[in-house]
Amino acid sequence: LSEDLERHLKGEPALAREGTWLYRLGKFARRRRWQVAASAAIVVLSIGFGAVMAMQRAALARAQGRAESVTSFLVEIFEIADPLNGAHPNLTVRELLAAGTDRIQVRLADQPELRADLEGTIGEIYLRMGLVDEALPLVQASLEGHRKISGDHHPDVAQSLTRLGRLQVARGDLEKAESSLTEALELRLEILGEDHPETADSFNELGFLRHHQGRFEEAAALYRRALAIWQDAHQGSPAEIARTLNNLAALLTQTGKLEEAESLHRRALPLREREYGSESAELSETLHNLAYLLRLQGRGDEARSLAERALAIRRRALGEDHPRTAHSVANLAGIHQDLGELTRAEALHREALAIHRRRARGKPTQGVAMALHALAFAVAEQGCLAEAEALYAGALELLEQIHESEHY
């Protein structure tokens, strides 16, 4: 069930017709509600990031009695895709989540704690799908709900603040992320102590923010602090350790410490493959980053092999229009360009640009601007200078629009 649900979270049609897994699941769960209840939380956990899984396990320890209510809620979402309910044959998981979000307001009006948990979890799913605008109101509502239920001084509030900070980083709202992640860390230090695994999670997330802010020494120190906590007395799961190894390795790559970065990526690879499987988005992240590192070292053939594998996984696991898929397309394009395979590189750069444009929906974004810049460089190398000039001009115009919008 977890594997099926994860696959359908990629935005692929959840084909609701006789014989499909959604139809069978709905009928099974309705017949066996009590038997399913114990595993409901696992379903919720398995559809989010590794970090979400760890945090939700802690939440379950505090609220086992909510399991059957979670099951009922999930069954209602599946019933939306039941052909007996007139489901559309091309119903997507995005549409299921939207319908499920609407039902939260009605079904869980008198269960605020469960409602806050599910709002946060669905927000995490949207974030995993790269749908940050859809995620934001749910994550904010989850935080507000936990504050009303538990007050400001509670682990659930710290968890919600961490989730919100992670989302704000993804949206580029670094000042807001600073506030959210700092408050979360302070709460966890006070409530749980410096050596608690959830405090390590806050160190890692704040390190990720510092990384984005260009404060590399602080970021490295925070990553190493998180690793020390998780590795000490085996407090951290392989997923948590691999995530921080990956983050630290990416930072070291950016600062030119390639030998140590490669070592850390190679430590993370088997951890992620064992924890998530050989077709997981998490494994693709480390493959992608290691390919980029090898490219910087001039090891183009090795880099291409890893980049191709990362891209193939992301196409299947995340979908064609996910931002990470676009990043892998661009990474592979750069490798082909370095190897002198310019025609192939240009085609991939155009594909990456198309993905970013579809996601932007006409708005000026950094993704489109950077893709235009990369494509301009690729066509210039082939002597198409007029087209390159037009592409560079387009990228510059977008960046100016983004700069202006950020100052109003």
Side-chain angles (χ1 to χ4, degrees):
L1 172 61
S2 298
E3 292 172 0
D4 284 343
L5 198 54
E6 177 71 23
R7 185 173 65 252
H8 282 266
L9 280 175
K10 302 160 195 169
E12 299 169 355
L15 300 177
R17 54 182 64 135
E18 187 174 1
T20 64
W21 74 271
L22 280 169
Y23 176 70
R24 292 193 299 270
L25 174 60
K27 293 184 71 65
F28 173 84
R30 285 192 295 276
R31 290 195 305 269
R32 300 173 174 82
R33 299 178 84 90
W34 286 101
Q35 295 96 318
V36 174
S39 63
I42 298 174
V43 175
V44 176
L45 296 180
S46 65
I47 56 181
F49 291 116
V52 180
M53 295 167 68
M55 290 188 287
Q56 288 289 354
R57 281 195 295 268
L60 284 169
R62 298 190 299 271
Q64 288 291 342
R66 284 176 259 168
E68 189 197 354
S69 296
V70 173
T71 302
S72 297
F73 177 79
L74 291 173
V75 168
E76 283 198 7
I77 294 180
F78 300 144
E79 285 176 340
I80 297 171
D82 194 324
L84 297 180
N85 291 334
H88 191 281
N90 292 320
L91 191 66
T92 66
V93 171
R94 184 173 181 173
E95 292 166 331
L96 284 175
L97 290 174
T101 299
D102 291 340
R103 291 197 175 198
I104 287 177
Q105 314 307 317
V106 178
R107 278 274 301 165
L108 305 179
D110 59 345
Q111 300 178 67
E113 191 172 15
L114 177 59
R115 174 176 168 173
D117 284 345
L118 284 167
E119 285 171 333
T121 300
I122 293 177
E124 285 278 6
I125 299 167
Y126 275 127
L127 178 58
R128 182 179 178 86
M129 294 170 67
L131 302 172
V132 294
D133 291 336
E134 287 87 342
L136 183 60
L138 286 164
V139 172
Q140 289 174 328
S142 176
L143 173 59
E144 291 169 6
H146 281 303
R147 284 195 193 276
K148 289 179 182 178
I149 296 162
S150 306
D152 292 332
H153 192 77
H154 193 276
D156 285 347
V157 174
Q159 175 186 336
S160 296
L161 282 164
T162 302
R163 180 185 293 124
L164 178 59
R166 187 162 53 246
L167 173 58
Q168 287 163 335
V169 172
R171 287 171 55 87
D173 298 332
L174 301 190
E175 289 186 11
K176 293 179 181 179
E178 174 90 30
S179 175
S180 300
L181 293 175
T182 299
E183 184 180 354
L185 175 59
E186 290 172 353
L187 275 176
R188 283 173 165 171
L189 284 169
E190 185 176 352
I191 298 169
L192 304 173
E194 185 174 354
D195 295 328
H196 194 278
E198 290 185 32
T199 306
D201 178 62
S202 278
F203 284 135
N204 181 67
E205 295 297 345
L206 191 58
F208 193 67
L209 172 64
R210 294 286 180 262
H211 190 165
H212 277 261
Q213 292 172 324
R215 297 160 64 174
F216 298 140
E217 290 186 8
E218 294 176 61
L222 287 162
Y223 287 149
R224 293 186 193 278
R225 197 168 180 185
L227 272 176
I229 295 170
W230 277 327
Q231 291 176 333
D232 181 42
H234 306 288
Q235 290 195 84
S237 71
E240 292 164 332
I241 292 170
R243 182 163 57 101
T244 307
L245 285 170
N246 181 80
N247 289 348
L248 179 56
L251 172 63
L252 294 173
T253 299
Q254 193 169 352
T255 55
K257 299 175 182 177
L258 302 185
E259 186 174 342
E260 184 183 1
E262 181 179 355
S263 174
L264 294 177
H265 277 315
R266 294 196 184 280
R267 281 178 59 192
L269 273 176
L271 291 175
R272 282 190 150 172
E273 188 154 13
R274 284 197 300 269
E275 189 75 5
Y276 298 109
S278 61
E279 292 294 313
S280 65
E282 289 79 9
L283 178 64
S284 75
E285 182 179 35
T286 300
L287 289 168
H288 171 92
N289 290 342
L290 182 55
Y292 179 71
L293 183 153
L294 295 175
R295 176 188 171 193
L296 293 179
Q297 293 177 322
R299 297 156 65 181
D301 290 334
E302 293 177 74
R304 178 171 53 193
S305 175
L306 291 175
E308 287 173 344
R309 185 181 173 194
L311 176 57
I313 292 172
R314 285 181 166 179
R315 288 192 196 278
R316 291 190 293 268
L318 301 176
E320 294 290 343
D321 283 350
H322 196 282
R324 293 188 182 184
T325 304
H327 297 159
S328 280
V329 172
N331 190 30
L332 184 57
I335 292 169
H336 280 289
Q337 201 166 335
D338 293 344
L339 292 171
E341 300 163 352
L342 301 183
T343 301
R344 179 59 177 154
E346 179 187 344
L348 288 166
H349 279 305
R350 292 189 186 279
E351 181 183 350
L353 175 59
I355 295 171
H356 284 296
R357 278 180 165 159
R358 287 195 295 271
R359 292 188 56 80
R361 298 179 182 179
K363 297 178 182 178
T365 67
Q366 291 277 357
V368 173
M370 294 300 99
L372 283 169
H373 184 275
L375 178 58
F377 185 71
V379 299
E381 279 201 310
Q382 298 179 76
C384 304
L385 300 185
E387 182 183 3
E389 182 179 3
L391 291 166
Y392 278 128
L396 179 60
E397 182 181 354
L398 284 179
L399 291 172
E400 288 173 343
Q401 290 175 22
I402 293 167
H403 178 77
E404 289 173 3
S405 67
E406 289 174 349
H407 288 78
Y408 282 100

